[in-house]
Amino acid sequence: MAKHTLIAYVEDVPGVLNRVASLFRRRNFNIDSLTVGGTDKPGVSRLTVVVETTEAGARIVEANLYKLVNVLRVDDLTHKASLTRELGLVKVKVTPETRAQILQLVDVFRARVVDVDEKTITAEVTGTPEKIAKFELILRPYGIAEMVRTGAVSMARGHEPVSSAPPLVRTADSDHHHDTSGLSMSV
Amino acid sequence: MKKLTGAEIVWECLQREGVDVVFGYPGGAILPTYDAMTKYPKIHHVLVRHEQGATHMADGYARASGKVGVAIATSGPGATNMVTGIATAMMDSSPIVCITGQVGSKAIGTDAFQETDVTGVTLPITKHNYLVTKPGDIARAIREAFYIAKSGRPGPVLVDITKDAQQLTADFDWDAAEPKLPGYRPNHTAPASEYTKAAELINSAKRPLILAGQGIIKSGATAEVLALAKQANIPITTTLLGIGAIPASSDLNLGMMGMHGEAWVNQAIQQADLLIALGMRFDDRVTGNLKTYALNAKKIHVEIDPTEVNKNVPVDVALIGDLKEVLGELTPQVKKSDHADWWAAIAVNRGDSAVRDIKNLPDSGHLYAAHVINDIWRLTQKRDTIVVTDVGQHQMWEAQYFHHDKPRSLITSGGLGTMGFALPAAIGAKFACPEKDVWVVVGDGGFQMTSCELATAEQEGIKVNVAIINNAFLGMVRQWQEFFYDKRYAATPMTGPDFVKLAEAYRLTGLRCNQRPDVAETVKKTLADKKTVVIDFVVEKEDTVFPMVPAGADLDKMIRRPKQDVMLESGSDKEWEMPTSPLPNVFTEKKVEAKALNGRGKAAPARKAAKPAKSNRR
Ligand SMILES: Cc1ncc(C[n+]2csc(CCOP(=O)(O)OP(=O)(O)O)c2C)c(N)n1
């Protein structure tokens, strides 16, 4: 079992997120995080799904995602050089004695203070999910008043076509590298 | 460009998709579509008695014909009544399109009268579904629905159309409504290297076995599978839904595998060194305990649906694609072979199993379901017959004692195991194949779930022959109670109406038969009758389906059929053998012992089970 990061490009139609989420539930896969947002292509949304499973499980997830009619393409970034980022907002309790220490820690993590009042400091931190977890851990002794994380977004490094890894199966038209959605293979 | 109402567009599209019959039930939210129906007399509408019936009829129609079946219902309760039929079609990959009415688009989300989020409800049990709120979107949704339902691995698609979308008008442009499905990939081609690997495995196998599934029927690949099997003299076993894919009369066909498959077949699976799985999905009913399943065998999986590969059983080579095409490419690379040793070993295992065969028992005054089914088969062999079964003991006896030689001649709910399926699915099959005889083999329990559809058969003037295997029990559940719950028959004894009078109440013919010598006469009378006939076959109450792999047990630990003399005694004190060890392995044990355990000489002492099974998934 390991964390697998899958990217799914989906048609931006009503209910599509429900279809994807429902698939994971029905097939008994546990979603670690799921983020959705737009892309540079109109009508195409991009999901980053982190799921804890085996290698074989990841292939099954990938194949199941492909079975959804609104899913345009799936990439597994798990074993590729990739960038993963997450945003966290952490509201931490402060006293006159701890204020300086906390500001220093915020600095060390290259986080940004986005709100301050007499009892709290709110910092915005971006980075890998591990970095955000670490940031939380470090601040926890001071007392965390509130915290929110966005979940991971991922992208492959470099200029290589994103789907350089062979998909689980070669589809009849994947050989021709054509994709009627206008989502070319070199997004 | 024609301006049409959304309702008219529905019928225009159905007509252009080649639909000749639809099964449905009206209601407020679908009323505009029903009103427009009168303008499209070429499409015959069958008024069902329950929307579940409509979906099973569409499903039976699809399974018998290979075409897409269509069911129509209103919003809310009409649509939710379809759920069981849709799930049934989903599990068995049956191409149906369900059209449902929805409340007006402005009322969606307000808990309006008869509003249900039907696309939400059916999301996990459809291949895809649509909520259409504008008349201009109807044509494309219906065209895509048909395309998705029948392409790749087939399945059910639902199109939910709001009432206002049915009422308002739009331009109807069939060509512009061509499916636009950039993400949908129904067709796959396996790379050449996989063919080479598969051929190598087959050419070096000593004990290969073909596992034949329903995919063969869907792909129309019977000839291709037989060609492969003949090339290297490979024995074939079928799944329940694979019955008919390979003629039962073919010497290569060993019979059915799995929970109620023949012991020598399951044994062959466990002893094989190569399994060639064709269009089947390693369901738990055919594998038994996965941890001990076919451990000696390499596996080749030919499948159209990539999600089935490595889902339950890890395979060595996967050829993902349409069976017919894949085998067309693979078989020429397979070398000739006779596998004589392997066939001899199977013959040893098969041994004298005939002595355990109920068919060969002399008439004891008891009427066994197996006799009934076997007699129906004997007497209808020269006719073109489709048998539609329900779910339960009779279903398994049908699979064991009716020998199907043609694809699409057995229609049964395999994946979902839906009681109440048989009668409506048979009505659908009769509409698909009016020239064929359609028999329903159904339990007294399952029949009572959808017997209201007798009225549909009567109103439509169609003939199906209904053989109720009446054991006054929910037989299969009673059998589980007998084996695993110490014969505590909780809620399984069941009374029914007088089925003869019930048939007559529907203005149909009712017959009763409770003697073995009368079966033939009853079947002949049924065939001669022009109307739908309902036969109440009053059979032995506590008869049991043998052999059986208890759910989750190893495939070769089967509860065996009691021997002849035991069988002759009445059901209640019969003895059966609870498996304590696997069936003998002819490759590791001396052949003498193998024979002994097959019924001759020193068979293991019969014992009764008291231990409840770990899992009870039925
Ligand atoms: C809709 C539905 N409910 C319950 C079951 C569980 N079930 C499986 S077989 C069976 C008994 C069937 O009894 P009957 O129809 O009389 O057939 P028999 O087994 O006696 O041949 C039951 C209740 C089911 N498969 N489907």
Side-chain angles (χ1 to χ4, degrees):
Chain A
M1 293 284 250
K3 285 200 170 134
H4 287 260
T5 305
L6 293 153
I7 306 297
Y9 293 87
V10 301
E11 283 181 89
D12 190 7
V13 292
V16 66
L17 186 60
N18 189 6
R19 286 180 198 279
V20 173
S22 160
L23 176 140
F24 283 89
R25 184 183 52 79
R26 179 164 106 74
R27 295 286 176 189
N28 204 15
F29 287 100
N30 197 19
I31 301 177
D32 235 62
S33 95
L34 190 158
T35 57
V36 206
T39 63
D40 53 323
K41 302 273 180 270
V44 177
S45 300
R46 191 179 191 279
L47 280 84
T48 303
V49 193
V50 182
V51 52
E52 177 111 8
T53 181
T54 59
E55 196 59 44
R59 299 285 73 75
I60 298 271
V61 172
E62 187 181 346
N64 270 295
L65 281 168
Y66 267 120
K67 244 169 87 167
L68 295 180
V69 168
N70 302 126
V71 170
L72 301 168
R73 207 180 70 210
V74 184
D75 298 318
D76 186 346
L77 295 188
T78 311
H79 304 297
K80 278 193 271 181
S82 59
L83 300 165
T84 296
R85 292 292 178 269
E86 185 171 355
L87 170 80
L89 289 173
V90 188
K91 188 181 287 173
V92 60
K93 293 176 189 157
V94 289
T95 60
E97 296 77 49
T98 61
R99 185 178 299 268
Q101 288 167 27
I102 289 171
L103 286 174
Q104 210 178 0
L105 287 169
V106 166
D107 219 37
V108 168
F109 274 82
R110 299 212 191 97
R112 258 174 5 117
V113 172
V114 288
D115 191 35
V116 182
D117 64 21
E118 64 278 18
K119 287 187 181 147
T120 62
I121 288 180
T122 304
E124 166 194 309
V125 57
T126 58
T128 62
E130 295 75 33
K131 174 178 167 183
I132 293 165
K134 196 72 187 282
F135 188 53
E136 183 203 339
L137 198 74
I138 294 290
L139 293 179
R140 197 181 287 157
Y142 299 97
I144 289 176
E146 197 180 342
M147 161 148 193
V148 60
R149 298 172 62 154
T150 56
V153 291
S154 296
M155 190 182 261
R157 283 182 187 273
H159 64 278
E160 285 276 297
V162 186
S163 92
S164 57
L168 173 80
V169 286
R170 303 205 310 169
T171 63
D173 51 19
S174 68
D175 290 341
H176 311 301
H177 276 220
H178 88 231
D179 210 335
T180 40
S181 67
L183 183 75
S184 84
M185 296 306 271
S186 52
V187 180
Chain B
M1 185 107 21
K2 266 201 284 186
K3 266 227 181 288
L4 296 178
T5 65
E8 288 163 343
I9 292 174
V10 170
W11 293 105
E12 278 291 338
C13 290
L14 293 180
Q15 201 161 295
R16 287 177 195 235
E17 290 291 350
V19 173
D20 50 9
V21 58
V22 297
F23 307 93
Y25 207 98
I30 194 75
L31 204 44
T33 294
Y34 269 89
D35 186 48
M37 183 174 86
T38 52
K39 295 184 197 152
Y40 295 84
K42 275 194 222 143
I43 300 179
H44 179 66
H45 179 273
V46 176
L47 177 62
V48 300
R49 295 301 182 270
H50 186 290
E51 291 86 351
Q52 180 183 354
T55 48
H56 290 329
M57 286 181 207
D59 188 342
Y61 176 92
R63 294 191 207 212
S65 66
K67 296 194 281 185
V68 177
V70 179
I72 301 181
T74 192
S75 66
T80 54
N81 272 352
M82 288 181 139
V83 165
T84 303
I86 295 171
T88 305
M90 183 71 173
M91 286 291 265
D92 290 349
S93 311
S94 200
I96 66 172
V97 168
C98 296
I99 294 171
T100 49
Q102 181 55 278
V103 300
S105 54
K106 295 222 170 59
I108 287 182
T110 65
D111 299 325
F113 178 64
Q114 294 193 330
E115 183 191 359
T116 301
D117 171 15
V118 169
T119 37
V121 168
T122 59
L123 190 147
I125 53 166
T126 47
K127 192 171 166 190
H128 193 58
N129 63 21
Y130 293 86
L131 168 61
V132 185
T133 56
K134 293 194 212 76
D137 294 342
I138 292 175
R140 194 174 141 197
I142 292 184
R143 284 196 70 174
E144 290 185 356
F146 273 79
Y147 175 58
I148 292 169
K150 66 188 172 200
S151 54
R153 178 179 183 175
V157 182
L158 179 135
V159 185
D160 194 30
I161 310 173
T162 59
K163 190 166 183 180
D164 51 324
Q166 297 167 51
Q167 286 164 325
L168 296 169
T169 56
D171 289 334
F172 173 68
D173 186 345
W174 173 255
D175 295 327
E178 204 194 350
K180 270 198 225 119
L181 298 162
Y184 180 54
R185 301 161 195 233
N187 307 313
H188 302 279
T189 50
S193 57
E194 298 303 298
Y195 283 97
T196 315
K197 279 193 231 162
E200 274 167 16
L201 283 181
I202 299 175
N203 291 336
S204 59
K206 298 237 168 350
R207 302 190 299 279
L209 186 63
I210 288 175
L211 309 182
Q214 190 190 206
I216 300 167
I217 297 169
K218 302 265 177 210
S219 164
T222 298
E224 284 74 9
V225 176
L226 283 172
L228 168 68
K230 276 187 193 138
Q231 179 68 10
N233 204 24
I234 304 172
I236 305 172
T237 160
T238 73
T239 64
L240 173 65
L241 291 185
I243 287 178
I246 305 299
S249 53
S250 164
D251 289 341
L252 292 162
N253 191 347
L254 300 181
M256 187 172 72
M257 65 179 102
M259 180 175 272
H260 295 295
E262 293 299 344
W264 69 81
V265 172
N266 288 343
Q267 224 167 349
I269 291 172
Q270 295 298 71
Q271 296 176 359
D273 66 355
L274 177 68
L275 296 181
I276 307 163
L278 305 179
M280 56 84 74
R281 58 188 181 88
F282 293 106
D283 179 72
D284 52 86
R285 282 287 182 275
V286 307
T287 62
N289 183 2
L290 282 172
K291 289 208 184 76
T292 58
Y293 179 72
L295 296 179
N296 305 317
K298 297 248 192 260
K299 283 133 198 141
I300 298 170
H301 198 175
V302 186
E303 227 319 306
I304 197 158
D305 179 353
T307 66
E308 292 298 347
V309 175
N310 292 321
K311 185 179 82 177
N312 298 333
V313 171
V315 300
D316 300 275
V317 180
L319 292 167
I320 297 167
D322 177 67
L323 248 166
K324 205 180 169 85
E325 286 168 25
V326 170
L327 294 188
E329 195 123 331
L330 177 66
T331 305
Q333 304 182 38
V334 171
K335 289 207 200 94
K336 275 215 158 301
S337 170
D338 65 6
H339 292 116
D341 289 352
W342 176 222
W343 277 98
I346 290 172
V348 170
N349 288 342
R350 200 165 181 160
D352 49 5
S353 53
V355 297
R356 292 170 185 254
D357 194 329
I358 194 165
K359 274 191 329 250
N360 303 332
L361 298 183
D363 187 359
S364 59
H366 300 287
L367 183 62
Y368 287 103
H371 296 145
V372 174
I373 287 158
N374 209 244
D375 277 358
I376 297 175
W377 170 70
R378 258 189 331 106
L379 293 161
T380 59
Q381 264 191 81
K382 296 212 178 70
R383 308 170 70 108
D384 212 347
T385 301
I386 296 176
V387 183
V388 186
T389 84
D390 215 67
V391 172
Q393 291 185 312
H394 65 276
Q395 179 187 32
M396 293 301 131
W397 282 316
E398 203 284 346
Q400 293 175 344
Y401 294 101
F402 197 106
H403 306 289
H404 291 270
D405 274 338
K406 286 192 193 155
R408 303 190 186 280
S409 67
L410 170 60
I411 293 174
T412 189
S413 166
L416 198 69
T418 309
M419 282 171 74
F421 173 79
L423 176 62
I427 293 172
K430 186 69 183 177
F431 274 99
C433 306
E435 72 293 351
K436 295 189 185 174
D437 287 355
V438 176
W439 279 83
V440 176
V441 173
V442 63
D444 49 318
F447 182 65
Q448 290 184 62
M449 284 194 172
T450 51
S451 60
C452 56
E453 301 302 345
L454 284 176
T456 308
E458 196 276 335
Q459 182 170 0
E460 291 295 326
I462 61 156
K463 174 177 174 58
V464 292
N465 310 308
V466 183
I468 303 174
I469 306 298
N470 183 357
N471 52 11
F473 266 113
L474 294 174
M476 187 57 98
V477 179
R478 185 209 59 75
Q479 172 169 339
W480 284 53
Q481 291 170 331
E482 176 190 341
F483 284 175
F484 313 118
Y485 295 88
D486 235 351
K487 292 198 173 184
R488 287 185 298 277
Y489 293 162
T492 47
M494 176 178 251
T495 63
D498 180 332
F499 290 118
V500 174
K501 284 197 184 139
L502 183 78
E504 286 165 1
Y506 284 112
R507 289 182 290 275
L508 300 168
T509 307
L511 301 173
R512 179 166 292 117
C513 172
N514 46 24
Q515 298 294 325
R516 192 168 167 187
D518 298 345
V519 175
E521 195 50 38
T522 311
V523 171
K524 283 179 199 153
K525 252 194 219 160
T526 304
L527 290 171
D529 203 305
K530 294 222 158 32
K531 280 187 287 201
T532 284
V533 178
V534 177
I535 318 162
D536 184 14
F537 282 108
V538 183
V539 299
E540 197 54 36
K541 285 188 169 147
E542 292 182 66
D543 193 8
T544 304
V545 182
F546 291 108
M548 179 183 188
V549 185
D554 302 347
L555 194 58
D556 52 0
K557 282 193 185 162
M558 300 195 80
I559 305 174
R560 304 298 307 278
R561 208 165 263 152
K563 280 182 270 115
Q564 207 181 116
D565 45 345
V566 183
M567 207 67 198
L568 281 175
E569 288 159 29
S570 171
S572 58
D573 30 45
K574 66 180 179 273
E575 302 266 330
W576 33 267
E577 299 160 26
M578 199 63 175
T580 48
S581 59
L583 297 170
N585 185 334
V586 286
F587 292 95
T588 57
E589 286 160 56
K590 279 184 232 135
K591 285 193 178 169
V592 216
E593 283 173 24
K595 268 189 189 161
L597 278 158
N598 261 299
R600 276 193 212 117
K602 45 160 191 162
R607 63 180 78 192
K608 286 189 184 176
K611 258 191 280 163
K614 251 194 241 136
S615 71
N616 176 11
R617 296 190 41 194
R618 195 166 274 274

